[in-house]
Amino acid sequence: MNGNVQVVVVGGGYGGVTAANRLARRDGVSVTLVNPRPEFVERIRLHQLVTGSDDAVESFGEVLGGKVRLVVDTATRIDAAERWVSLAGGGAVSYDYLVYAVGSGVSDPGVPGAAEFAHSVSDIEGAERLRSALAAAPATAPLTVVGAGPTGLETAAELAEQGRRVTLICGDVLGPSLHARGRRPVARRLARLGVTVLEGPRTRVTEVTQDAVRLDDGRELPSAVTIWTAGFRVPDLAARSGLHTDAEGRLLTDATLTSVNDVRIVAAGDAAAMADRPFRMSCQAAVQLGPAAAATILRRIAGKTPAPVRMWFAGQCLSLGRDEGVTQFSYPNDTVNGLHIGGRPGAGVKEIACRFTLNKLVSGARKAGPRTAHGDDADRPETPGPEHRTTPSGTGRAA
C-alpha cells in the first residue's frame, strides 16, 4: 500500500492498547485509538475499586505510545464499504485497516428486576455506582453476589474481608472454571471470611427486587445491595454494522483474527470469536490477541500472508481479599489441571500478574515512541466535534 497507512483501533482495553502500541512502532503507519473514556481502566482491579483498595485506572499517557492519537468518543457504526467509523459525538474517522477491540460488559440476565435493581463490576461506571450504593448501606446490611465465576468470587471475598455480610449465589457449582482441587481452598477461604455460599441448580435467581432476591427453590433472601456477575456480553457494534457475529454477538473471524466479511477489519479481545477455535474471554487472552491482530495487519501492509494465531494459557489468578488468593494452573490449551497455589502465596501471584500486565502495557507504550511536539498527547485526548473527519493518506477519498 502506497503512502501513510491509517489504522483505527476501536476500544482502549487490554487488546486495543496492545494492538495500537504494536502498530505504532511501524514507520508509515498512523494509529488512532477511539475509546469512550479518557483513562485506561484496569478491569482486573475493578473489584478493588469497589472497596477502595485501588482506583483501577491508569493514564493513557502511561500505557499508550506517544505516536498513537487518542479520540475520546464512542463508535456507533462501522461502514466497511467506505471505511468510516461514525462516532456518537457526531464526527467520524476513516481507516485503511480497523482493529475491533470493543471488549465486553455485563450481560442482560433476562431475570425480572435484575437490570433495575442489581449492580455490576464489569465496567468502571458500574463499579463506581456499586461503591456509592455500598457506602449508603449500613455496615451490617446483607449483600448478595450472583455468580461464582472469577468476578463473583473476587467481589464476594473483597467485601467479606471488610466485615460485610455476603451471600454468594452460585446458580450451580462454586467456581465452575476451577479444577476440583483448586476449588477446595477457595471454598475454605470464603468460609473463613463468613461468606454464605449457595450451590446447586435450584439456587438460580428468578427475581431481584429492591431489597431481596428470589431463588428457583422458592426461597427469598434479604439483600440491601445485589451484585450481578453472572455472564458477559459484547457491544452490538459489529451486528449493527452488518458484520457477521456468533450467537453471543462477537465478531466472527478466521484463524488470523480477520473478519469473515472484510480483510481490512481485524478483531482482538473479548469481542472476537475465531469460528473454529473459541477462547475464554479474559485479560490473558486479550494481551495475546492485541499484538496478534497488529501482526496480521502489518503482514498485510507488507504484502505477506498473515499467520494463524497461536494462543497459550497458563491458568487463572484469583484474589480472595487482600490477604489470600488462589492461582489455578492450566495446560496451554486452557484446560485446568490439579496444580494450584493458595493462601498468601496465591494472593502474591495474583498481585504480580496484575502488575506485570500493567508494566507490559507501559513497556509497549515506550517501544511505540515518545511524545512528539506536533502529535496529540494521550494525557490530553481529543474529543472531536461534528466536523471531525479524517481521510487516509493515499486512498484518494475526500471527506
Side-chain angles (χ1 to χ4, degrees), residues 132-143:
S132 297
L134 291 169
T140 57
L143 311 179

Side-chain angles (χ1 to χ4, degrees), residues 338-365:
L339 297 177
H340 64 274
I341 300 174
R344 286 185 177 275
V349 172
K350 172 59 187 274
E351 183 60 26
I352 290 171
C354 289
R355 293 184 182 183
F356 174 81
T357 301
L358 181 61
N359 289 340
K360 186 173 182 179
L361 299 184
V362 173
S363 175

Side-chain angles (χ1 to χ4, degrees), residues 250-264:
R250 296 185 294 178
L251 181 69
L252 277 178
T253 76
D254 63 15
T256 70
L257 300 178
T258 303
S259 165
V260 297
N261 293 97
D262 192 327
V263 297
R264 292 180 178 271

